[in-house]
Amino acid sequence: MKIGCPTEIKPQEFRVGVTPNAAQEAVQHGHEVLIQSGAGIGAGFSDEDYTAAGAKILGTAKEVFEAADMIVKVKEPQAGERKMLREGQILFTYLHLAPDPDQTHDLIASGATCIAYETVTDRTGGLPLLAPMSEVAGRLAPQVGAYTLQKANGGRGVLMGGVPGVGPAKVLVIGGGVVGVHAARIAAGMGADVTVLDRSLPRLRYLDDVFGGTFSTGYSSAGLLQEHLVQADMVIGAVLIPGAAAPKLVTRAQFADMKPGAVLVDVAIDQGGCFETSKATTHADPIYEVDGIMHYCVANMPGAVARTSTIALGNATMPFMLALADKGWRKACAEDAHLLAGLNVHAGQLTYKAVGEALGIDWVHPESLL
Ligand SMILES: NC(=O)C1=CN([C@@H]2O[C@H](COP(=O)(O)OP(=O)(O)OC[C@H]3O[C@@H](n4cnc5c(N)ncnc54)[C@H](O)[C@@H]3O)[C@@H](O)[C@H]2O)C=CC1
Ligand SMILES: CC(=O)C(=O)O
Ligand SMILES: [Mg+2]
């Protein structure tokens, strides 16, 4: 199969869909890998790294889309990229279709087979192709929050770890899933006093068993959240109700009880955000203030550390990419229900229930296409 990887064109996106190591494995499996010239630069991979791995370099995205049987990317295809997709071609990337009717209609019209990273599942009920980026965003959250807490950046001028004689910052993490646990570990490692709230008792038991000495846990009721909110220097929003918009857990009215200059980092902004005042920001202009409370709400946080994120994402996507290339999408999905869960669009039909329900579009069961 010909596997094509174009340069990402979404603003401020420096990741790349195929690493040189993944390209090398695909070549060893007998596939041809076509990389757009410069696609890896933002993640620290040169064209020479790809040619050394056995890939071919093409000059333009158009050439890559024309030649490839499967396109492997990071972000959802932008409008110009969607025009280059064709019937029978496989698209393997993040899609996030539920809030994006334009993209959904374009992908249906393209006739392509579109598999979304974020809906591929695993045996434990997890999302193995979302998890690596949640790990990155979780670990970044205290880092960007600590920077925002600095006085010159609008924060209240509190050092995460304090110093001898002066106590540490108080960090509240709402949601103890993949983002939450990684955020809590890093914040605790910086010396902060960290509490994680979650609604899942099994998850709280796990967190307490493994991290009991590192951070505290609490059941996420409105009352307990308010207790912690008024003391917090930093609040990290990390909740997810799969497929749904994030619940709004902190209202603007509650800011009056908070410490002026406290920082909210809303990682859940992807799903609409869990603070009433959250709106998506970009790496170019990430921070804004509402009623004295600082907000950081960047929707593609992993793009800031493109090299780490590219390698982490590539480690997770590679086995699925190889299965699709080795077997074709139909056999690969027939043999792996978790990969089939990633199928969102095929040959002019929507194949993902939650997207159909969110956008009011007819959908078919993916099993019916096998
Ligand atoms: N902004 C960005 O760049 C990125 C954002 N994300 C987003 O971060 C969010 C979290 O993702 P993951 O940690 O992977 O999800 P996850 O499913 O691993 O964890 C979510 C946790 O939230 C908990 N939860 C649900 N309702 C709650 C409530 N009312 N109070 C407290 N906890 C509650 C769940 O029990 C679960 O443990 C998602 O919206 C994801 O899309 C992920 C990667 C990058
Ligand atoms: C998960 C996602 O959308 C991202 O990493 O950009
Ligand atoms: Mg995103």
Side-chain angles (χ1 to χ4, degrees):
M1 185 179 277
K2 289 183 179 166
I3 302 171
C5 176
T7 305
E8 292 297 318
I9 58 171
K10 189 164 175 161
Q12 307 281 328
E13 184 51 73
F14 301 106
R15 288 172 283 180
V16 60
V18 177
T19 62
N21 283 347
Q24 186 179 12
E25 296 239 2
V27 170
Q28 284 168 353
H29 279 234
H31 304 295
E32 196 174 338
V33 179
L34 310 168
I35 306 284
Q36 184 179 348
S37 180
I41 296 292
F45 298 121
S46 65
D47 288 354
E48 292 70 34
D49 292 330
Y50 286 102
T51 48
K56 282 192 187 150
I57 303 296
L58 297 181
T60 63
K62 186 165 178 284
E63 288 169 77
V64 173
F65 275 83
E66 273 174 11
D69 303 303
M70 172 164 64
I71 297 290
V72 180
K73 276 176 49 60
V74 179
K75 294 312 296 179
E76 67 280 359
Q78 307 298 292
E81 294 175 313
R82 299 191 306 251
K83 291 199 184 84
M84 294 190 278
L85 289 167
R86 64 168 184 275
E87 198 171 341
Q89 196 168 38
I90 301 170
L91 173 67
F92 191 40
T93 191
Y94 286 117
L95 294 178
H96 301 292
L97 292 182
D100 196 345
D102 291 348
Q103 189 200 168
T104 305
H105 288 295
D106 285 354
L107 294 185
I108 291 171
S110 75
T113 298
C114 306
I115 301 173
Y117 292 161
E118 74 275 7
T119 65
V120 173
T121 54
D122 68 19
R123 267 179 303 163
T124 65
L127 302 168
L129 303 189
L130 181 62
M133 297 303 93
S134 290
E135 289 162 357
V136 170
R139 288 181 180 214
L140 262 179
Q143 187 172 315
V144 298
Y147 176 80
T148 311
L149 260 182
Q150 292 175 27
K151 201 70 193 165
N153 302 320
R156 62 190 305 262
V158 169
L159 184 64
M160 290 289 270
V163 288
V166 183
K170 284 191 187 300
V171 174
L172 173 64
V173 180
I174 313 176
V178 180
V179 168
V181 71
H182 285 274
R185 280 177 58 191
I186 295 297
M190 293 168 94
D193 173 0
V194 182
T195 301
V196 178
L197 303 185
D198 204 290
R199 288 230 139 182
S200 157
L201 284 173
R203 186 65 184 173
L204 289 173
R205 284 192 190 100
Y206 165 81
L207 294 175
D208 184 71
D209 276 352
V210 178
F211 300 105
T214 307
F215 51 78
S216 309
T217 57
Y219 185 77
S220 182
S221 64
L224 189 65
L225 202 159
Q226 171 71 12
E227 258 177 53
H228 283 281
L229 197 64
V230 300
Q231 294 178 29
D233 297 296
M234 184 190 303
V235 184
I236 297 173
V239 299
L240 176 64
I241 299 171
K248 301 291 179 204
L249 299 176
V250 175
T251 64
R252 184 170 184 169
Q254 289 175 287
F255 291 176
D257 303 324
M258 292 180 67
K259 296 177 183 172
V263 171
L264 307 182
V265 179
D266 200 344
V267 186
I269 190 68
D270 258 25
Q271 301 290 129
C274 60
F275 309 123
E276 185 187 4
T277 45
S278 294
K279 58 179 166 56
T281 57
T282 64
H283 291 292
D285 190 12
I287 300 165
Y288 64 95
E289 178 252 315
V290 177
D291 300 345
I293 303 299
M294 304 308 296
H295 293 56
Y296 176 100
C297 303
V298 173
N300 63 332
M301 291 175 69
V305 287
R307 187 167 175 88
T308 303
S309 299
T310 291
I311 297 169
L313 182 61
N315 291 343
T317 56
M318 189 173 72
F320 294 100
M321 177 187 83
L322 291 175
L324 287 165
D326 290 349
K327 303 173 186 175
W329 79 269
R330 187 170 267 120
K331 185 163 190 282
C333 288
E335 290 179 2
D336 182 353
H338 297 298
L339 181 57
L340 182 63
L343 189 69
N344 277 230
V345 173
H346 170 68
Q349 287 180 300
L350 187 68
T351 57
Y352 202 83
K353 182 179 179 204
V355 176
E357 288 176 350
L359 299 178
I361 300 175
D362 288 343
W363 62 282
V364 297
H365 282 281
E367 293 82 5
S368 69
L369 301 169
L370 296 177

